[in-house]
Amino acid sequence: MKIIAGNWKMNGTRTGLETMVRDLSSVETENTVILCVPFTMLGVKSDCVALGAQDVSRHTHGAYTGEVSAQMVADTGAKYVIVGHSERRQYHHETNSIVRDKASNALANGLIPIICVGETMDEKQAGKTMAVIESGVRESVPSDVNTDIIIAYEPRWAIGAGLTPTAAEIADAHALIAKTLADMGLAGTPVLYGASVKGNNAAEIMSIPNVDGVLVGGASLKSDDFIPIITSVK
Ligand code: 13P
C-alpha cells in the first residue's frame, strides 16, 4: 500500500475538484489517495479521497490578515497539510524553523503534516544534497512528535521541470531520510518522493526502497493523468 498525494498548487476550481472526486470514486485501489488543494476548495465532499491544505500559518490565531490557521484547516474536515514546500521556501523565504512551527500547529490540531525537504540545483552542484536533506528533516520535524507525520523528498531542481534524479539518487536520499527519522525515534514514518512524477515513471519510482508513495504536482490536476499513477502500484 502506497500514499499517492496530489498537490494542486494554485490551480483548479471547486467544480473541478468535485469532478475529480467523482472520477476517483470509481478507481479501485488500496492506496491512500490525498489531494492537497487551495484553501477555497477545502470542504468539498470527498469520500474516496482525503483532502489537505498546501500551507498553514505559523501562528495559532489573531491579527495576521490573510493567514489561515491549522485550526481553520481542520475545521473544514481536511486531514493533511503540506508544510515547507519548496515553492514556499523559495518565494516566501520559509526556513526549517518556520516549517517546524507550522508542522507543530498542524499536529496540535489533529492534522497530519506532509513536511517537504529537498535541495536546490546550486546545493546539488555544490555537493550538499545529503547535508541539506538531513538538516531539513532534523530541523523541520517538531521534537515532540508522537503521532503520524509524512515526509516528502522533493529535489527542488526537478519540480515541474520534467527532470528526475536517477533511481540511485532517489534511493540514497530516501535511505538517508529513513535513517535520520529512525535516529529521531520516528522509524516507520512514510517518506514520499515528489518532482515530475507521471504515469510512466510512478511505478518505477515507488519500487525504490524506502519510497512509500509520491507527491504529484502537474500530473494530479487531471484524472486522466492522476488515475494511472494511483493504479500503477498495488
Ligand atoms: P511536479 O509533479 O509538477 O513536478 O510538482 C511536484 C511538486 O512540487 C509536488 O509538491
Side-chain angles (χ1 to χ4, degrees):
M1 208 213 59
K2 301 284 188 184
I3 298 171
I4 315 289
N7 172 11
W8 274 20
K9 308 192 180 186
M10 199 170 72
N11 294 293
T13 59
R14 286 178 77 90
T15 312
L17 178 58
E18 283 159 5
T19 304
M20 172 67 90
V21 168
R22 213 168 31 245
D23 292 347
L24 294 184
S25 66
S26 57
V27 175
E28 279 187 28
T29 181
E30 285 173 17
N31 298 320
T32 300
V33 181
I34 304 167
L35 276 176
C36 295
V37 294
F39 292 125
T40 54
M41 297 173 211
L42 296 175
V44 162
K45 195 170 166 325
S46 60
D47 294 335
C48 56
V49 40
L51 296 187
Q54 301 168 7
D55 183 35
V56 74
S57 178
R58 82 182 292 197
H59 307 288
T60 56
H61 66 280
Y64 299 101
T65 301
E67 302 249 324
V68 175
S69 72
Q71 188 183 23
M72 294 168 183
V73 171
D75 189 42
T76 68
K79 297 275 180 272
Y80 297 87
V81 59
I82 296 173
V83 292
H85 190 276
S86 70
E87 286 145 22
R88 301 293 314 174
R89 292 177 185 264
Q90 181 178 352
Y91 303 131
H92 301 273
H93 312 292
E94 292 191 5
T95 59
N96 287 335
S97 129
I98 293 173
V99 174
R100 189 175 60 234
D101 288 350
K102 293 182 173 204
S104 289
N105 285 347
L107 289 167
N109 286 280
L111 297 168
I112 298 177
I114 302 174
I115 302 171
C116 301
V117 300
E119 78 286 3
T120 62
M121 183 53 100
D122 283 353
E123 289 163 343
K124 179 180 166 64
Q125 286 173 340
K128 293 183 184 159
T129 297
M130 290 305 190
V132 169
I133 292 173
E134 181 167 352
S135 59
V137 174
R138 288 197 185 277
E139 295 168 17
S140 303
V141 173
S143 56
D144 53 350
V145 172
N146 57 9
T147 178
D148 291 349
I149 62 167
I150 296 173
I151 302 294
Y153 169 55
E154 297 208 319
R156 290 160 70 169
W157 51 272
I159 293 176
L163 299 170
T164 45
T166 63
E169 286 172 326
I170 297 176
D172 286 351
H174 280 250
L176 173 65
I177 294 170
K179 179 178 173 304
T180 305
L181 289 164
D183 276 359
M184 296 167 74
L186 296 169
T189 295
V191 184
L192 314 184
Y193 169 81
S196 298
V197 175
K198 312 271 179 246
N200 61 10
N201 62 11
E204 187 191 342
I205 289 171
M206 284 189 274
S207 72
I208 297 170
N210 300 304
V211 177
D212 302 302
V214 286
L215 180 54
V216 185
S220 70
L221 292 171
K222 289 197 206 127
S223 47
D224 283 355
D225 296 327
F226 196 38
I227 290 173
I229 297 175
I230 297 169
T231 55
S232 70
V233 287
K234 288 272 177 274

